[in-house]
Each structure stands twice: as C-alpha cells, then as structure tokens.
Amino acid sequence: LRSFVDTHDCSVLTNYQELARMIDPAACIDYWLVNIYGGTWDWGGNNWTAARERTSQGRFQYYTWDSEGAFGIYGRNDPLTFNSITSTLLNKNTYMSRIFTAAYASEEFQRLFKDRVYALFFREGALTDACIQRRFDELADALDPVMHYVRGDNVNRSGIQNWINVRRPVVLQQLSSAGLHDERVAPTISPEGGDVTNGTLVTLSHP
C-alpha cells in the first residue's frame, strides 16, 4: 500500500480503483472526518491504527486510537479553528498523509468524500450537533457515578457545549476550501427509508 501510493497517480481512474481495492474509502473518510471535526492534534504521524482481513478481499480501515488530543483538550493549536486537512492530512511526510494525498487527487474520492460529509454532518448524521450532544450526555451519564465515587465530582459538561456551538461551521468551511464539501443543498427523498407499503409514492425534491 505504501509503495503503491508513492508510485501511482490516483487522478488516473484505474489507479484510484486499485487503491480502493486496498483501502475501504468510505470507512477511511468517516475516520478522517471524526478526527477533522475533533481537531485531533496528536495524530497523523502517530496515534492511529489500521487493519484488514487477511484475505484477498480484505481492505484496510482505520480505527480511532489514543485520541485524547481531540475536542480542545490541552488547548493546543487553537482547537476551535484547527485545520486538520492542511495541518495533518494533505501533503505531509507521514504514512497517513501520503495515503490521503494520493486519494485526494481522484475526482471519485472527492465526490465520495462530499457524500460522506453530507451523511455525517446533516439530517441525523453522527456528526450533527444534536447527535454529538446526545452521545456525550449518554457517556457522561454512564461515567458520572464512577467519577463521583473516585473523585467526588461529576463529568465536566461545560466544554462540549462551546465546541458544538463553534466547531461545525468552521469545519464545513475548511472542507469547502479543500473541495471536499458542496455547500449547495442536497436533494431529499421522502419517505427517507424503512419499510413502505405497496403503492407508496416516493418523491425526490431539490430546494
């Protein structure tokens, strides 16, 4: 994989398709977006891991690892405005950056990236403000009894609200500047999914 991205131009469709047989592009993009949103600073050159099945069909996926440097912890790199794309992922001399930069040359990759931004940052996606707040509250509620027992205190919930209020539009602008987010409103389908009865009218609309 390392040799391939160093020696092949993935703006050529067949080369990108070969890369996509080595990595799972959608899963990798989701991983990158989580760390971009979180403003993870101690990452890229270290603190990451990837794995694949040892089969001919196995493709590498990244897994979150040692990410305590996210969400403004330690107050480094102006966390609310930190740009992981330009600072960590694009055109840096690290293994992860070389993979990202190679894929970034592909129009297919950029199109898929935009799709994943829409899936995660809009409607009920995992990186919407409401979803992040809900998940944080679930984890904090579970940890509060332990924190209270060990430290006589509860989880500090103040920092996450400021992050949610500020971070999302900053990230979307950074993604737009990199050509990885389309600010045009995407079409919507109704009903969105699930089981429907025979004869249900499905509509596709564009604002």
Side-chain angles (χ1 to χ4, degrees), residues 110-171:
Q110 294 189 24
R111 187 176 299 113
L112 177 61
F113 206 108
K114 293 173 184 177
D115 288 344
R116 297 311 302 161
V117 169
Y118 184 76
L120 269 64
F121 280 87
F122 294 89
R123 303 180 77 80
E124 297 181 7
L127 294 179
T128 56
D129 294 348
C131 185
I132 291 169
Q133 183 70 67
R134 182 171 62 251
R135 184 59 177 148
F136 179 88
D137 289 340
E138 290 171 352
L139 292 171
D141 288 345
L143 286 172
D144 271 343
V146 178
M147 289 283 290
H148 189 76
Y149 178 79
V150 173
R151 302 185 59 179
D153 200 0
N154 294 328
V155 174
N156 184 343
R157 303 183 186 226
S158 60
I160 191 65
Q161 193 58 60
N162 186 49
W163 190 271
I164 289 173
N165 290 341
V166 176
R167 183 63 177 165
R168 183 174 182 272
V170 171
V171 168

Side-chain angles (χ1 to χ4, degrees), residues 50-62:
R52 67 174 177 86
E53 291 184 356
R54 292 183 178 178
T55 67
S56 58
Q57 291 79 36
R59 297 189 296 172
F60 281 102
Q61 298 184 27
Y62 291 109

Side-chain angles (χ1 to χ4, degrees), residues 169-183:
V170 171
V171 168
L172 291 178
Q173 181 56 53
Q174 292 169 351
L175 291 166
S176 294
S177 297
L180 297 174
H181 168 51
D182 193 333
E183 294 182 349

Side-chain angles (χ1 to χ4, degrees), residues 1-11 15-16 18-25 27-29 31-32 44 48-51 59-62 88-106 109-110 113:
L1 176 56
R2 182 182 302 178
S3 174
F4 182 87
V5 298
D6 285 345
T7 56
H8 290 76
D9 177 5
C10 288
S11 67
N15 289 341
Y16 173 71
E18 182 62 28
L19 176 62
R21 282 190 277 271
M22 301 180 193
I23 66 171
D24 182 333
C28 290
I29 290 168
Y31 167 84
W32 285 322
W48 61 271
T49 187
R59 297 189 296 172
F60 281 102
Q61 298 184 27
Y62 291 109
T88 305
L89 289 174
L90 195 57
N91 297 318
K92 305 299 178 184
N93 188 28
T94 66
Y95 189 15
M96 181 185 295
S97 174
R98 284 147 65 187
I99 295 172
F100 178 88
T101 301
Y104 180 78
S106 165
F109 174 80
Q110 294 189 24
F113 206 108

